[in-house]
Amino acid sequence: MGLWISEANLFFDPTLVDGRLVLSSSGMSLLTLSVSIHPLKPSSCPDPNGVHCQKPTTLQIVVFFVALYIIALGNGGTKPNISTIGADQFDEFDPKEKIQKLSFFNWWAFSILFGALFATTVLIYIQDNVGWALGYGIPTIGLAISILIFLAGTPFYRHKVPMGSSLTTIIKVIVASISKWKVEIPTDAKELYELDPIEYGEGKHMIDSTNSMRFLNKACVRTSSSKPWLLSSVTQVEETKQILRMIPILIVTFIPSTMVAQIGTLFIKQGTTLNRHIGAFKIPPASLGLFVTISMLVSLVVYDRVFVKIIRKRTRNPRGITLLQRMGIGMILHIIIMVIASLTERYRIHVARKNGLVENGGQVPLSVFIILPQFILMGVADAFLEVAKLEFFYDQAPESMKSLGASYSLTSLGAGNFISSLFLTIVSNVTSGNGHEGWIRNNLNASHLDYYYAFFAILNCINFVLFLVVVRFYVYRAEVSDSMKVLAEELTVRKTEGGQ
């Protein structure tokens, strides 16, 4: 909901987006101070086990968490809007720019991952070996530089005129429909209320009435009431339908988002029980996620520069495959990942038992590279699913509600984090009764992560079936321009000429 509120306030207004960047920068500055200076910085602790350490003061705890919440508030406003502003720099009505726009989200994700690569290598090394002050100070300075770059580029951006809160429009349509539930809908759509075409300027297009979600059409039926909240235009109703139509797709992305939120962390914890040495170098635990990042970086490049170019020749779809097909491939990969992870973890536990390492939780005499396949596949799956998810919700949202559509993707990730905590708690409680220790314990050698991974494999299978059902009834939003049609015709011509 926080993301939706941010969308309502930030609709394509670079000044306000920059304000949220400043908010994030302020949070990072406060976080840096909390690990740099006294009395904000907790006292150092010589005890490696942390048993005989001085507890942080109330002030230190408050400052630390306030900084985190400020950063979260800033990110909630910038993340769904920065990607939207970037995509809106391409002209929807120019086929050349449209084809470039189809690659935008791949390269936008690539840039984000490149930053994550820097964070999981350089910054982690600095934090472990130099100090937290410099480790937090570098991204703080980087964020300040980003604000300056954003401000310098603002005059050159393509801007869309703010059109008010999308949430207000949606709520207004729903309220009007419910209030007029007894009203008959005219058989002739021309009798429904619609604004004059002159009212629709750049960035907002008139949409014809449809019979899907027909109940909402009551919102644009004229009555004797003059209350503004009891009458919406046909376009507003159809925009609301488009947003609501995406909700079932949003729901079936919760389980994949749970995978992103939790399974990667469990993979890393699993890796800490294995031999992480490469010669004299020992891989830091936090850097194990580097394998997923590198895999996703490579996968995005291969997907955009190789896969799409090959597939589009066969499908004559400028995207190569549809966004929902791309998401479906990612979900299938998630199932394969969990099956492989379950079998690998079963073997790891077997070796731990064979070497008497169950009780003491010692390091298992296996290389960390036995879990490398699941890390690599996780990156490939995310290149398909996560990027397609973001592009899908942006692409299918109405032209005047793009930020709200993009926020669906982040809403999915947020829900995934909550669900992952819920699953972890439920599974731990259910499996630890009747004298059993439970599937998930601090000592992974005595745990049964293989069962937990198998549970997720089954859960992903069920979710994939639901996804197929939802997709079966989903109707793609009509394109506002002929660019995709022109591009598809060009591909058809090329294929015909190539076959002659």
Side-chain angles (χ1 to χ4, degrees), residues 251-269:
I251 292 173
V252 293
T253 63
F254 287 170
I255 296 301
S257 294
T258 303
M259 288 271 294
V260 173
Q262 185 179 97
I263 299 303
T265 303
L266 289 177
F267 284 174
I268 292 173
K269 190 173 182 181

Side-chain angles (χ1 to χ4, degrees), residues 6 20 23-24 68-78:
S6 72
R20 291 296 178 124
L23 194 61
S24 297
L68 292 181
Y69 282 118
I70 291 175
I71 294 171
L73 185 61
N75 286 343
T78 56

Side-chain angles (χ1 to χ4, degrees), residues 243-313:
I243 288 294
L244 297 179
R245 194 179 290 128
M246 294 191 295
I247 291 179
I249 302 291
L250 171 66
I251 292 173
V252 293
T253 63
F254 287 170
I255 296 301
S257 294
T258 303
M259 288 271 294
V260 173
Q262 185 179 97
I263 299 303
T265 303
L266 289 177
F267 284 174
I268 292 173
K269 190 173 182 181
Q270 185 182 10
T272 60
T273 67
L274 302 169
N275 180 11
R276 306 194 307 277
H277 284 89
I278 304 176
F281 177 73
K282 186 176 183 180
I283 303 173
S287 292
L288 290 174
L290 181 67
F291 296 125
V292 177
T293 304
I294 293 176
S295 172
M296 192 171 177
L297 282 169
V298 174
S299 298
L300 284 171
V301 175
V302 173
Y303 181 87
D304 191 81
R305 309 311 299 173
V306 180
F307 179 83
V308 171
K309 290 185 176 181
I310 294 174
I311 296 299
R312 69 164 50 138
K313 293 178 182 179

Side-chain angles (χ1 to χ4, degrees), residues 419-462:
I419 294 172
S420 68
S421 300
L422 181 64
F423 279 167
L424 200 61
T425 301
I426 292 175
V427 170
S428 297
N429 291 337
V430 171
T431 60
S432 61
N434 300 322
H436 297 286
E437 295 293 338
W439 289 358
I440 305 171
R441 302 168 61 186
N442 291 330
N443 179 3
L444 291 190
N445 292 347
S447 300
H448 269 295
L449 277 183
D450 54 334
Y451 294 168
Y452 192 60
Y453 290 158
F455 163 72
F456 259 95
I458 296 171
L459 198 62
N460 275 284
C461 285
I462 297 172

Side-chain angles (χ1 to χ4, degrees), residues 38-115:
H38 295 286
L40 301 181
K41 178 183 177 181
S43 302
S44 58
C45 179
D47 185 359
N49 297 320
V51 178
H52 304 291
C53 295
Q54 183 179 348
K55 293 183 178 180
T57 64
T58 302
L59 175 63
Q60 292 166 350
I61 294 174
V62 169
V63 170
F64 179 76
F65 280 100
V66 166
L68 292 181
Y69 282 118
I70 291 175
I71 294 171
L73 185 61
N75 286 343
T78 56
K79 283 191 175 182
N81 288 279
I82 287 180
S83 60
T84 303
I85 291 175
D88 283 337
Q89 300 311 299
F90 300 91
D91 188 354
E92 187 77 22
F93 294 87
D94 186 338
K96 291 183 179 180
E97 291 196 26
K98 180 66 177 181
I99 196 69
Q100 294 172 341
K101 185 176 182 178
L102 298 182
S103 293
F104 168 75
F105 285 98
N106 291 329
W107 295 106
W108 182 82
F110 184 91
S111 66
I112 297 295
L113 287 166
F114 196 80

Side-chain angles (χ1 to χ4, degrees), residues 379-396:
V380 176
D382 288 348
F384 275 90
L385 179 56
E386 293 305 313
V387 180
K389 184 170 65 177
L390 175 59
E391 185 176 358
F392 173 82
F393 289 130
Y394 167 85
D395 181 76
Q396 293 299 295

Side-chain angles (χ1 to χ4, degrees), residues 320-360:
I321 55 178
T322 67
L323 294 172
L324 290 176
Q325 287 172 338
R326 184 175 178 179
M327 290 170 63
I329 292 173
M331 291 183 181
I332 292 173
L333 288 174
H334 274 175
I335 297 171
I336 296 172
I337 290 167
M338 297 320 301
V339 171
I340 293 174
S342 180
L343 295 175
T344 303
E345 175 63 8
R346 190 176 185 85
Y347 175 67
R348 190 195 67 81
I349 294 174
H350 169 73
V351 174
R353 289 173 179 170
K354 186 177 179 180
N355 289 270
L357 300 172
V358 174
E359 296 301 327
N360 59 23

Side-chain angles (χ1 to χ4, degrees), residues 16-239:
L16 291 174
V17 172
D18 187 67
R20 291 296 178 124
L21 285 172
V22 172
L23 194 61
S24 297
S25 181
S26 301
M28 281 301 303
S29 299
L30 187 59
L31 189 63
T32 303
L33 291 175
S34 71
V35 297
S36 304
I37 62 173
H38 295 286
L40 301 181
K41 178 183 177 181
S43 302
S44 58
C45 179
D47 185 359
N49 297 320
V51 178
H52 304 291
C53 295
Q54 183 179 348
K55 293 183 178 180
T57 64
T58 302
L59 175 63
Q60 292 166 350
I61 294 174
V62 169
V63 170
F64 179 76
F65 280 100
V66 166
L68 292 181
Y69 282 118
I70 291 175
I71 294 171
L73 185 61
N75 286 343
T78 56
K79 283 191 175 182
N81 288 279
I82 287 180
S83 60
T84 303
I85 291 175
D88 283 337
Q89 300 311 299
F90 300 91
D91 188 354
E92 187 77 22
F93 294 87
D94 186 338
K96 291 183 179 180
E97 291 196 26
K98 180 66 177 181
I99 196 69
Q100 294 172 341
K101 185 176 182 178
L102 298 182
S103 293
F104 168 75
F105 285 98
N106 291 329
W107 295 106
W108 182 82
F110 184 91
S111 66
I112 297 295
L113 287 166
F114 196 80
L117 181 66
F118 178 79
T120 54
T121 52
V122 177
L123 288 184
I124 285 179
Y125 178 83
I126 291 174
Q127 290 168 357
D128 288 345
N129 297 279
V130 180
W132 288 96
L134 183 60
Y136 282 148
I138 291 175
T140 302
I141 295 172
L143 191 54
I145 294 173
S146 297
I147 294 172
L148 295 176
I149 294 173
F150 185 86
L151 282 173
T154 298
F156 305 100
Y157 300 149
R158 285 173 173 167
H159 301 283
K160 286 190 175 182
V161 179
M163 300 176 186
S165 170
S166 300
L167 284 177
T168 301
T169 299
I170 294 171
I171 295 172
K172 181 180 176 182
V173 169
I174 295 174
V175 169
S177 301
I178 295 174
S179 300
K180 296 188 288 187
W181 66 278
K182 291 184 178 181
V183 174
E184 292 293 330
I185 301 174
T187 55
D188 187 356
K190 294 181 180 180
E191 296 181 23
L192 299 175
Y193 172 72
E194 180 57 283
L195 299 176
D196 190 283
I198 300 176
E199 299 288 335
Y200 295 96
E202 184 180 355
K204 191 173 179 66
H205 306 274
M206 185 182 293
I207 307 174
D208 294 332
S209 179
T210 63
N211 288 324
S212 64
M213 302 185 192
R214 184 172 170 79
F215 177 79
L216 294 178
N217 289 352
K218 293 178 182 290
C220 47
V221 176
R222 292 183 175 90
T223 61
S224 57
S225 176
S226 59
K227 295 180 180 179
W229 274 75
L230 291 182
L231 185 63
S232 299
S233 68
V234 170
T235 297
Q236 289 175 328
V237 170
E238 293 303 317
E239 287 176 338

